[in-house]
Amino acid sequence: MAGQSGMFVYGIVPADVEPTEDAVGVGDPPGEVTAVVHGELAALVSEVDLEQPVGRPVDLSAYQELLDGTAAVAPVVPVRFGTVVTGSDAVHDLLDAHRDRFRAALDELEGRTQYTMRGRFHESELMGVLLAEKPGAADLAEQVRGQPEAVSREQRIRLGEILSQAVELRREAETRELVDVLGPVAVTSTVRPPGHEMDAMHVSFLVDVDRADEFAAVAEEFADQRRELVRMRLLGPLAPYDFVDAHHLAG
């Protein structure tokens, strides 16, 4: 390392979990991923140059790939991206100070993984549905069609407000139905906020590994029923980012 170094911490795992030989860490060049073992626990870490900023897209990809790959074979408690400590002694202190909480979380995650369902409305199809459902909005749309923006400004603002509210209500309804359908084949779920105005849903599910195929089949059927209105993606298996965080466990 060219300058002062520290340790980038990826996640907490049981002590018998070791990174694979081809595991790639963050940094340029990528750091070697190792395990710092403390009693029944271990932390996956790699050395980083403290003078080199860590936060490039390639670093986030390396972080996620390591944790997702680990979660496929063992329970893992993710540590927030960008966490760097001074060295192995600090890692030992972290594991020792919060060993009971980390151990309990790992026990809870044993045999479970995260799947995330994301959906985005096809905008033109959704607008057609909403205008058909709301005669007032359809009337406003007809009034502004072909009119200069300066002349129809008030009508356009009102139409935008109506449609925005309608999209939000439709998003809430789609999300509720998704949770109702997939909830019975999952352990628990959490709804994430939309990242785009046309997002239809963004929900993460904690799933028992032995029900993963069943979960995926139900999710595929749900997506197929809505393909004309919503484009959906099922992401997973993933590390349980949306269900446990070492920073929260550490208080």
Side-chain angles (χ1 to χ4, degrees):
M1 290 284 174
Q4 186 178 3
S5 65
M7 280 196 167
F8 188 105
V9 187
Y10 300 86
I12 312 300
V13 295
D16 60 353
V17 175
E18 297 181 357
T20 60
E21 293 183 359
D22 59 351
V24 176
V26 301
D28 184 19
E32 178 185 1
V33 180
T34 60
V36 175
V37 178
H38 184 90
E40 299 176 2
L41 301 172
L44 299 177
V45 303
S46 67
E47 193 173 2
V48 292
D49 185 344
L50 295 180
E51 297 179 358
Q52 180 185 94
V54 176
R56 304 168 303 159
V58 67
D59 293 325
L60 179 58
S61 293
Y63 164 84
Q64 292 174 330
E65 288 176 9
L66 177 64
L67 289 179
D68 293 345
T70 302
V73 297
V76 57
V77 174
V79 174
R80 191 172 302 161
F81 177 73
T83 298
V84 177
V85 298
T86 54
S88 59
D89 287 345
V91 178
H92 283 287
D93 290 343
L94 172 69
L95 296 175
D96 184 65
H98 308 289
R99 62 182 181 276
D100 291 341
R101 291 178 180 176
F102 289 159
R103 189 167 53 198
L106 290 170
D107 288 344
E108 185 71 18
L109 293 170
E110 182 71 43
R112 292 171 174 171
T113 189
Q114 176 176 318
Y115 284 86
T116 297
M117 180 71 92
R118 303 196 66 168
R120 180 165 292 185
F121 291 115
H122 297 297
E123 185 171 1
S124 58
E125 285 78 359
L126 177 63
M127 290 302 106
V129 169
L130 297 182
L131 290 174
E133 293 176 347
K134 294 185 173 298
D139 290 343
L140 285 170
E142 185 62 30
Q143 292 173 30
V144 303
R145 185 174 292 114
Q147 294 294 319
E149 187 171 346
V151 175
S152 57
R153 184 172 181 274
E154 291 186 6
Q155 291 95 328
R156 291 177 185 274
I157 291 174
R158 179 56 183 154
L159 177 60
E161 292 173 345
I162 293 173
L163 292 177
S164 178
Q165 293 171 0
V167 170
E168 177 62 27
L169 291 174
R170 189 62 179 248
R171 179 186 299 120
E172 292 175 358
E174 292 287 343
T175 298
R176 282 195 304 271
E177 188 162 0
L178 174 68
V179 173
D180 288 345
V181 171
L182 292 183
V185 288
V187 177
T188 188
S189 63
T190 182
V191 177
R192 311 301 299 169
H196 185 275
E197 61 181 2
M198 283 292 110
D199 278 355
M201 61 201 67
H202 185 180
V203 184
S204 293
F205 298 87
L206 190 64
V207 179
D208 285 328
V209 172
D210 60 6
R211 300 193 72 181
D213 289 345
E214 179 186 6
F215 177 87
V218 175
E220 182 178 356
E221 182 179 358
F222 182 90
D224 187 60
Q225 293 172 351
R226 285 157 178 76
R227 66 183 182 278
E228 294 183 0
L229 185 62
V230 182
R231 180 177 65 256
M232 300 180 68
R233 290 191 301 154
L234 180 64
L235 307 176
L238 307 171
Y241 306 103
D242 293 326
F243 296 98
V244 63
D245 182 299
H247 285 265
H248 294 154
L249 293 174

